[in-house]
Amino acid sequence: IDASLRTVGLSLADVVQVTVHLARAEDFAEFNATYRKHFQTPYPTRTTVVAQLLVPGARIEITVTAAARLETEAMSDAR
């Protein structure tokens, strides 16, 4: 995910929403620990569901939405 975001000049810090599909509910704790290692507070909003995934053998599917900062926001943050 991070590599894909970097190709358009963004990073995980720009992610505002994450949708997660887990194949197994028992994977949630491990996923949540990994999530907290890669995202900083305030965490992006997140929806997590347990569902049968379309790719055979897949245990997780993640979709993120990232937003680029406008120049005026970046300048305002620097103050």
Side-chain angles (χ1 to χ4, degrees), residues 1-75:
I1 296 169
D2 190 45
S4 293
L5 289 168
R6 289 188 186 284
T7 65
V8 293
L10 301 174
S11 72
L12 292 174
D14 298 306
V15 173
V16 295
Q17 203 281 328
V18 179
T19 302
V20 181
H21 290 86
L22 296 173
R24 305 173 339 145
E26 53 269 23
D27 289 337
F28 180 77
E30 182 180 355
F31 164 74
N32 202 46
T34 301
Y35 181 87
R36 291 184 183 277
K37 287 179 188 175
H38 293 280
F39 291 100
Q40 308 279 330
T41 57
Y43 296 109
T45 61
R46 182 177 75 185
T47 301
T48 305
V49 297
V50 176
Q52 185 174 357
L53 303 180
L54 294 176
V55 177
R59 292 176 53 189
I60 188 168
E61 179 181 308
I62 302 173
T63 304
V64 302
T65 302
R69 291 178 179 234
L70 298 174
E71 284 292 322
T72 55
E73 288 178 321
M75 291 171 55

